[in-house]
Amino acid sequence: MKISNVKGTVDYLPQEVAIRDYLQSEILKVYTSNGFTRITTPIIEDIENLDKSEGGENLNLIFKILKRGDKLQKAFEGELTENNLADMGLRYDLTLPLTRYFANNRSKLPYPAKIIQMDRVYRAERPQKGRLREFMQCDVDIIGSDSIYSEIELINTVTEALLAITLKNFTVRVNNRRILNDLLLSMGFAAEDLMSVCITFDKMDKVGAEGVEKELSEKAVNPEAVAKFVDFLKQDNFTLDYVKQLMP
């Protein structure tokens, strides 16, 4: 018997488990005190749901589960592909399970639904420092409301949880496409170019402001708008107050 754990997974000693339990308990207290209720979902999902979800690069990290018995035998008799051999997989985050759960149980839930999920997720990561194949996520979500106040409530709730576990030196980064779109429009980009510009902007961490400028120039979008946007990026001032000053 091999006694070492699988790479990308961790064994926790009793004192480590006690710390993890305490932290999760404190986070859960904050979430429930703000009106959120906890649900649990299976770690296994239908492979069709996983493959067709909007998981981005995570779709390449799905632990797929082989078909069994007669189904597996029939799969071997046909074309041997991953999709033909697998019918289920392990969840790579808690978003897909939440959407399926809500669709299946919406008649039994309040509206909007304020949901807590604290569960393990699995990704077929390449084992390396800081990249685990099994880890815990502590999520809160509000389903059934498109109000910006729901977004603000989520931010306030999560920051309150961080303070409850004595984390103080943190920064909240707001990722809101509506704010970004309004900013881009104010700089002179055409509405039909917004999606393309945002795709390029998403590469900012990898290519820097110069790389963003180069790619936008190659896309032949409004050069004056590109110049304004790149100047904004080089300022490295992405606070909401600064963005508000730029908006008409």
Side-chain angles (χ1 to χ4, degrees):
M1 166 180 173
K2 294 180 64 175
I3 63 171
S4 59
N5 52 296
V6 174
K7 289 184 178 180
T9 65
V10 179
D11 290 329
Y12 293 99
L13 296 172
Q15 60 268 33
E16 295 170 323
V17 173
I19 294 172
R20 287 165 62 86
D21 286 347
Y22 168 76
L23 293 174
Q24 291 174 32
S25 174
E26 292 301 300
I27 292 171
L28 186 59
K29 285 179 184 177
V30 172
Y31 287 174
T32 54
S33 69
N34 281 276
F36 292 82
T37 53
R38 188 175 182 181
I39 66 168
T40 60
T41 57
I43 67 169
I44 300 173
E45 290 287 345
D46 189 284
I47 196 65
E48 182 177 352
N49 287 346
L50 291 169
D51 279 337
K52 291 184 178 180
S53 63
E54 297 182 358
E57 294 182 359
N58 291 329
L59 299 185
N60 298 321
L61 303 176
I62 299 173
F63 276 111
K64 296 184 177 181
I65 301 173
L66 282 176
K67 295 177 180 178
R68 296 144 306 280
D70 292 342
K71 289 184 178 180
L72 182 59
Q73 183 60 43
K74 289 180 180 179
F76 277 117
E77 294 171 359
E79 183 182 1
L80 293 181
T81 66
E82 282 190 21
N83 288 338
N84 287 343
L85 291 173
D87 59 352
M88 294 181 289
L90 303 185
R91 62 189 179 199
Y92 54 79
D93 68 13
L94 298 176
T95 302
L96 182 278
L98 176 61
T99 57
R100 181 198 51 73
Y101 174 93
F102 183 74
N104 192 36
N105 297 283
R106 60 189 308 168
S107 63
K108 307 171 188 175
L109 296 170
Y111 203 81
K114 299 173 64 175
I115 303 296
I116 304 167
Q117 293 185 94
M118 299 178 70
D119 262 314
R120 298 185 183 194
V121 297
Y122 301 85
R123 295 180 188 173
E125 294 273 9
R126 177 184 174 187
Q128 55 187 304
K129 184 177 181 180
R131 308 292 289 186
L132 294 177
R133 289 173 165 174
E134 178 191 61
F135 55 94
M136 180 73 71
Q137 287 189 338
C138 300
D139 286 6
V140 279
D141 294 278
I142 299 177
I143 304 180
S145 170
D146 60 0
S147 171
I148 194 170
Y149 293 107
S150 293
E151 301 290 342
I152 295 171
E153 181 178 1
L154 289 170
I155 293 172
N156 286 339
T157 300
V158 172
T159 53
E160 186 179 339
L162 293 176
L163 292 171
I165 58 175
T166 69
L167 292 178
K168 297 179 180 179
N169 297 321
F170 60 85
T171 300
V172 176
R173 295 187 177 184
V174 177
N175 183 4
N176 188 299
R177 184 59 63 87
R178 288 172 294 185
I179 295 175
L180 178 57
N181 284 346
D182 287 344
L183 177 64
L184 294 174
L185 288 172
S186 72
M187 292 179 173
F189 288 102
E192 59 268 22
D193 291 332
L194 295 184
M195 180 62 72
S196 179
V197 173
C198 288
I199 291 173
T200 298
F201 180 43
D202 284 341
K203 302 175 184 178
M204 174 75 174
D205 289 341
K206 295 181 179 179
V207 302
E210 294 78 10
V212 171
E213 181 178 18
K214 182 176 182 294
E215 185 168 322
L216 290 179
S217 298
E218 292 172 351
K219 289 183 175 182
V221 294
N222 185 338
E224 293 183 3
V226 173
K228 289 181 181 179
F229 186 47
V230 172
D231 183 61
F232 167 73
L233 297 180
K234 291 180 178 179
Q235 297 287 331
D236 196 24
N237 187 349
F238 301 138
T239 65
L240 289 178
D241 287 338
Y242 180 67
V243 171
K244 185 177 179 180
Q245 294 175 20
L246 300 178
M247 307 292 277

